[in-house]
Amino acid sequence: GSSPCCRVVASETSRRPLRAILALGVVIIAVTALFFLLVPLGSDDDSTSTTVGGHPLLDEPAPEIDLLTLEGEPLTLSSLRGRPVLINFWATWCPPCREEFPMMVDSYAEHADADLEIVGVLSKDLPDGARDFTEDMGAAWPVVDDPDQVAWDDYLIAGLPTSYFVDTEGVVRAFSLGGFTESGLDSLLAQILPTEAGTSESAAEGS
């Protein structure tokens, strides 16, 4: 799998020493996983999507996100409970982050009936340029700005891009470090989207 375009350890001035230690642990896990634990998702040989075994947030409630969007509107992750959510940490200066956008745009439209939401978390970047980029890409989902790295710390981010896949109950079910391919994104989303069986049963009950 591909490595993220930028790997950043918690800053020396961090006032959250415990989270800094946890973030360092994630970096160690990720480096080890490059050799032992990285599992490509999807059947394509060029798939770059990966999940890292043993991440502290997997199968745990997703930390709350309470930030302002690029338009200045408040957004909380808890307000999206009941919907599958892809949380994407990104920046305009990160090439793999930019390459992911067309795939997310397509998936956002494809899974609109499943009520999929995407929350972009702008990390270590300027809002104006990010706003222009998302508009140019046709990204209709909300993007929040994380200037104080609150979400960055809460989600133990070690590099960009990083994505979390949260189910309708607010639990993290999958994690991606580095850019993903279309097949990889499909495999990750399958872990949080309603199953076809469940959809068919619901349709049958409603008929």
Side-chain angles (χ1 to χ4, degrees):
S2 65
S3 299
C5 67
C6 177
R7 198 171 289 283
V8 184
V9 179
S11 65
E12 295 178 358
T13 59
S14 173
R15 289 173 291 183
R16 303 180 179 87
L18 178 58
R19 285 175 177 164
I21 292 172
L22 288 173
L24 179 59
V26 171
V27 174
I28 294 172
I29 290 171
V31 171
T32 304
L34 288 174
F35 298 97
F36 299 107
L37 298 176
L38 287 182
V39 181
L41 297 180
S43 58
D44 294 344
D45 292 339
D46 63 346
S47 174
T48 58
S49 294
T50 56
T51 56
V52 180
H55 191 283
L57 294 181
L58 285 178
D59 298 322
E60 296 292 336
E64 176 68 295
I65 292 175
D66 186 357
L67 295 168
L68 297 179
T69 68
L70 298 183
E71 289 71 36
E73 300 294 330
L75 183 143
T76 62
L77 180 62
S78 57
S79 69
L80 302 175
R81 185 66 55 83
R83 302 176 64 179
V85 181
L86 189 175
I87 304 172
N88 178 246
F89 287 80
W90 70 288
T92 60
W93 44 260
C94 166
C97 300
R98 300 170 69 96
E99 293 168 4
E100 289 180 336
F101 261 76
M103 290 178 275
M104 290 192 291
V105 168
D106 290 344
S107 292
Y108 195 56
E110 179 182 353
H111 300 295
D113 290 344
D115 215 15
L116 173 68
E117 184 60 287
I118 298 176
V119 175
V121 182
L122 185 67
S123 306
K124 304 177 184 291
D125 203 352
L126 299 177
D128 288 344
R131 189 181 301 109
D132 292 342
F133 176 76
T134 56
E135 290 177 357
D136 290 344
M137 295 300 298
W141 57 84
V143 175
V144 295
D145 189 19
D146 188 25
D148 297 322
Q149 301 179 41
V150 175
W152 176 283
D153 288 345
D154 287 345
Y155 280 82
L156 310 176
I157 303 301
L160 298 176
T162 294
S163 296
Y164 289 89
F165 296 76
V166 180
D167 68 11
T168 57
E169 299 299 320
V171 176
V172 176
R173 296 302 184 189
F175 165 80
S176 175
L177 174 64
F180 40 64
T181 61
E182 290 183 13
S183 61
L185 178 57
D186 289 343
S187 296
L188 290 160
L189 288 173
Q191 300 185 53
I192 61 171
L193 291 172
T195 62
E196 292 183 5
T199 302
S200 299
E201 291 172 2
S202 298
E205 291 174 359
S207 61

